[in-house]
Amino acid sequence: MLKSLKLVNYRSFSKLYLKFHPKKNIILANNAKGKSNVVEAIYMLSFLKSFRTERNAELIKFGNASSYASFEYLANDILNRIEITIEPKGKLVKQNDKMIKNAKEYNQRFEAVLFEPFDLNILKGAPGLRRKYIDSILTRLSPSYRDELLSYNKVLMNRNKALKMYKDKNSLKAILKSYDTQLITLGAALVEKRKTFTENFNTICKDIHKELSGTDELNIVYKSNIDIEKDIKKAYEEAFNANIDKDIDRKSTALGPHRDDYAISINENEARKFASQGQLRTAMLSMKIAELKMIRSFNKDVTLLLDDVFSELDKKRKKYLLDAVGDMQVIFTLQDMDDIKDLIDDDYLIIKLETNE
Ligand code: ATP
Ligand code: MG
């Protein structure tokens, strides 16, 4: 549960200090007052990276050399503080005054689920965005998945480097074979977990989506470039052997979970190509509520961050979302209280971002 946030020279803020309600928070301000900047800072303190940029310099208020963000939160009733000092070349992270080097050393991480307008691109955009989205859920649900994914990406990078470097085909083939043993084992483990996850995720999404849309049938299926109904490891072994000359010609690795996708359809039509804007929003909302449910079954202390999406929903969907949130902590950004007024009680803490000192 998020208690407070402090920003110094972060994005548009010279200084900002906010205290949060244990459950219900609304950040209220007009355009360009820094609502998304606040949500981004909270997300960054949770995931140790921004969802908007990979460039540190963008997070530093123009004209300054560094920025600072910190928050305090309760996890299992224990108060934690995370502080990040951001310089163009890197970030320094401290948890309770102790330096941490990476996400692995981050204990009792502040767990958040974010829903923001760019998320619609998960449905509309390239396969990489869907892989990244599902990977972000899986890495939070399973530390072993996170480790396998990191190892897989490392081996894949080395394999691709070798493909670009070696000119002699025979010595290259010997090197590739040594990478492929690892790549196949790790790749098969990733695909196995993604496949099982997708089946569970699909069941939950489908039910929510049915209720929200009334009639539409949402379906999410893992789509691999090998036959995953058979023994996955065996299928990769065969496919890698058959593909080795092609990979050498193209100097890249054509097969593996890094090239897979998730087929998302509404009433059997591919959502990416055929769904209307409203249908996409309902599908994304269903997926976000399903994500929330899954993360929550793993870690009860989850905070929902909703940037800008509330005003886009109709009354039925707003109500459904508020019901799904139940008694967990939620932080909405809003421009206009009219968007929510008749749906909420007086318990909400309304945080106004009036001034950008
Ligand atoms: P909207 O309602 O339009 O979504 P918002 O309240 O979410 O607006 P933000 O996206 O948080 O607004 O941005 C607020 C302002 O922060 C923008 O005007 C932007 O130019 C400014 N800004 C972003 N990065 C920096 C930076 N590094 N230094 C100074 N200002 C910045
Ligand atoms: Mg915004």
Side-chain angles (χ1 to χ4, degrees), residues 127-311:
L129 289 173
R130 284 180 285 286
R131 286 194 301 268
K132 203 169 148 198
Y133 173 59
I134 303 290
D135 278 347
S136 85
I137 305 177
L138 268 164
T139 48
R140 281 181 283 161
L141 294 176
S142 157
S144 67
Y145 183 88
R146 181 187 61 193
D147 294 344
E148 282 157 355
L149 184 63
L150 284 173
S151 306
Y152 179 87
N153 287 337
K154 218 184 235 168
V155 181
L156 177 66
M157 202 178 75
N158 289 333
R159 187 184 195 267
N160 286 337
K161 258 191 207 158
L163 279 166
K164 290 192 173 69
M165 249 167 59
Y166 283 82
K167 302 278 175 263
D168 173 57
K169 218 172 177 174
N170 285 332
S171 50
L172 175 58
K173 272 192 179 172
I175 288 166
L176 292 184
K177 284 252 178 316
S178 72
Y179 286 134
D180 290 356
T181 319
Q182 300 172 64
L183 211 59
I184 287 165
T185 308
L186 288 164
L190 292 178
V191 172
E192 195 72 64
K193 285 182 178 146
R194 285 184 185 175
K195 195 182 143 202
T196 311
F197 172 82
T198 309
E199 283 159 10
N200 294 334
F201 189 58
N202 188 36
T203 309
I204 303 173
C205 288
K206 222 186 232 316
D207 284 349
I208 299 169
H209 190 263
K210 190 87 195 221
E211 214 168 313
L212 278 174
S213 67
T215 49
D216 287 353
E217 191 80 35
L218 178 69
N219 204 33
I220 308 171
V221 181
Y222 191 66
K223 216 170 89 184
S224 179
N225 43 27
I226 54 154
D227 182 0
I228 52 171
E229 297 311 318
K230 291 194 293 189
D231 181 331
I232 295 174
K233 202 172 159 196
K234 229 184 190 159
Y236 269 131
E237 272 160 5
E238 286 167 17
F240 265 78
N241 280 331
N243 251 281
I244 197 157
D245 288 313
K246 242 193 229 163
D247 277 2
I248 290 173
D249 285 346
R250 294 186 186 160
K251 299 187 196 306
S252 69
T253 308
L255 291 168
H258 63 288
R259 289 285 174 87
D260 288 349
D261 196 1
Y262 298 82
I264 305 176
S265 61
I266 300 169
N267 301 331
E268 293 181 8
N269 296 317
E270 202 181 334
R272 196 158 70 101
K273 292 185 184 149
F274 301 107
S276 73
Q277 201 65 13
Q279 281 179 312
L280 288 173
R281 269 198 207 109
T282 303
M284 203 56 236
L285 178 63
S286 309
M287 286 163 68
K288 280 286 153 183
I289 294 173
E291 173 188 347
L292 193 62
K293 285 190 170 172
M294 287 183 103
I295 300 278
R296 213 182 177 196
S297 67
F298 193 72
N299 177 353
K300 279 208 302 308
D301 284 324
V302 186
T303 296
L304 177 65
L305 305 172
L306 277 180
D307 188 21
D308 245 14
V309 283
F310 208 73
S311 57

Side-chain angles (χ1 to χ4, degrees), residues 11-12 29-38 52 57-62 307-308 335 356:
R11 292 265 192 197
S12 52
N30 291 328
N31 289 128
K33 289 281 187 236
K35 297 183 297 297
S36 299
N37 294 345
V38 168
R52 292 200 292 192
E58 290 178 22
L59 307 176
I60 302 168
K61 189 171 170 32
F62 303 147
D307 188 21
D308 245 14
Q335 289 180 44
N356 277 3

Side-chain angles (χ1 to χ4, degrees), residues 9-117:
N9 293 334
Y10 183 90
R11 292 265 192 197
S12 52
F13 298 103
S14 300
K15 265 193 186 134
L16 182 78
Y17 181 75
L18 300 177
K19 275 189 170 170
F20 296 94
H21 185 278
K23 306 272 180 223
K24 303 165 173 184
N25 298 274
I26 291 171
I27 298 178
L28 187 68
N30 291 328
N31 289 128
K33 289 281 187 236
K35 297 183 297 297
S36 299
N37 294 345
V38 168
V39 172
E40 179 193 39
I42 297 170
Y43 181 97
M44 190 195 54
L45 288 155
S46 168
F47 294 88
L48 306 185
K49 60 183 179 212
S50 162
F51 61 88
R52 292 200 292 192
T53 180
E54 287 181 4
R55 276 187 294 273
N56 289 329
E58 290 178 22
L59 307 176
I60 302 168
K61 189 171 170 32
F62 303 147
N64 292 275
S66 66
S67 67
Y68 169 92
S70 72
F71 68 14
E72 289 191 320
Y73 64 98
L74 285 175
N76 294 324
D77 296 323
I78 296 167
L79 187 69
N80 276 275
R81 186 174 62 251
I82 297 288
E83 296 172 273
I84 305 189
T85 305
I86 305 159
E87 289 178 358
K89 287 212 173 90
K91 292 189 185 82
L92 279 181
V93 186
K94 276 198 255 175
Q95 179 167 24
N96 304 330
D97 295 322
K98 192 174 153 268
M99 285 289 198
I100 56 175
K101 283 201 289 291
N102 49 42
K104 231 178 164 170
E105 293 181 5
Y106 190 161
N107 296 315
Q108 296 194 301
R109 219 186 95 244
F110 172 76
E111 188 62 84
V113 167
L114 167 74
F115 189 12
E116 53 113 17

